[in-house]
Amino acid sequence: MRHEMDSWTVRHALAEAAARAPERTFLQVVDGPSATYGEMNDLARRVAAGLVVLGLRKGGRVMTMLSNGLEAIAAWLGCGVLGAVEVSLNTAYRGAPLVHAVNACGADTIVIDGAFLPALAEVRDRTPALRNVVVPGEAQADSRLAGLTLLTWQDLVAGNGEGLELEPLFGRDLAAILYTSGTTGPAKPVLLTHAQNHLTASRTRACARIGADDVSYCFHPMFHMAGKFMAVYGTLLAGAKMVLDRRFVPETWISRVREFGATVGYGHGPMLEMIHAVPPSPHDADHAMTRVLAAPFPRRIARDFE
């Protein structure tokens, strides 16, 4: 007997959103490209097909070490379509923390920005399981990476995704691995199922009352569940538009909200305090945002911020 949670997967959610409104804009990267729901579904399938060529199947693990951008979203969704497990690495990892994260998850494939490739090269001799490296953007040649299969993003998505054979996928299946902050020792890998991530997104959508006409604005990194499984996934379930910023800059927060017509925002207490500390402007109320989902919201600034 099938259960409702069987379909609580990224694969089902993306396919349904693309079928409902293929021409609706799903993702707009600040100072970068945009993609409709139909285009993102196509790109995710191409990513999945490329991973199959590298030998990945359902349950296989793929590390990502990516700055916010189109590739970060497409790599995550492509893993979800295939049923592979995405292992998101903190882009600040260097040295021993990076070695630990790479070795602890057991993955042999990583999609990594060219800017972080030197950090990987520095620890190559301590990551024996690594075999495949996919690099979006420019990458400098490095002899320390000899022996690895190096591909560009274009290589990964070269196929059209047609004829892609997918294994059955259920909510109970493992979807992602996120690492803890590592404040009390080496960062611990946390296993997250598709259903758990879907429920997080669904509750975010309900709590923030996100509808198809909303515009979400997010600056959280995609190795953090607030960005990926709350903001982006919650927006996807609503069929709304996601504006993804490259990084958090308190001084430009309100101007970004205004520029992109954002109606929903996200933040943590310290971030909201930094935004609140920016000197007031006569244009501060000139925006469309009506909801900010925050945890926690510092009481001393809450009323004034609102």
Side-chain angles (χ1 to χ4, degrees), residues 7 54 90 117 121 142 147 152 189 274:
S7 62
L54 292 178
N90 190 317
L117 204 55
D142 195 315
T152 66
M274 285 186 274

Side-chain angles (χ1 to χ4, degrees), residues 2-16 76 80-81 83 168-176 192-203 205 229 233 236-237:
R2 289 186 60 84
H3 190 278
E4 177 189 3
M5 286 192 293
D6 286 347
S7 62
W8 287 8
T9 73
V10 165
R11 180 195 293 174
H12 289 92
L14 179 59
E16 288 180 1
W76 159 51
V81 167
L169 190 64
F170 305 99
R172 62 179 177 272
D173 290 325
L174 187 62
L192 301 168
T193 65
H194 276 274
Q196 180 175 353
N197 297 337
H198 186 100
L199 183 60
T200 297
S202 179
R203 296 307 302 154
R205 174 190 177 185
F229 301 131
Y233 201 168
L236 186 156
L237 290 183

Side-chain angles (χ1 to χ4, degrees), residues 103-185:
N103 291 337
C105 70
D108 66 3
T109 299
I110 186 169
V111 185
I112 181 171
D113 279 340
F116 308 131
L117 204 55
L120 185 66
E122 289 177 5
V123 301
R124 172 66 189 107
D125 59 343
R126 289 179 279 166
T127 56
L130 192 60
R131 285 178 171 74
N132 306 308
V133 179
V134 181
V135 186
E138 297 296 324
Q140 297 292 328
D142 195 315
S143 61
R144 294 172 294 180
L145 297 174
L148 296 177
T149 299
L150 297 176
L151 303 97
T152 66
W153 178 260
Q154 289 70 30
D155 293 330
L156 181 68
V157 300
N160 58 21
E162 293 183 7
L164 178 63
E165 295 185 6
L166 299 173
E167 299 178 58
L169 190 64
F170 305 99
R172 62 179 177 272
D173 290 325
L174 187 62
I177 295 176
L178 293 182
Y179 282 92
T180 62
S181 60
T183 52
T184 59

Side-chain angles (χ1 to χ4, degrees), residues 217-278:
Y217 171 66
C218 173
F219 49 73
H220 287 80
M222 291 299 105
F223 56 80
H224 195 289
M225 74 179 305
K228 182 174 288 178
F229 301 131
M230 296 179 70
V232 180
Y233 201 168
T235 300
L236 186 156
L237 290 183
K241 179 179 179 179
M242 181 79 249
V243 175
L244 182 63
D245 213 337
R246 306 280 188 178
R247 56 193 169 275
F248 172 56
V249 182
E251 292 77 11
T252 61
W253 182 81
I254 192 67
S255 61
R256 296 289 202 216
V257 167
R258 184 182 305 115
E259 177 185 358
F260 291 98
T263 56
V264 184
Y266 312 84
H268 287 82
M271 295 170 169
L272 299 178
E273 289 185 285
M274 285 186 274
I275 293 170
H276 185 261
V278 174

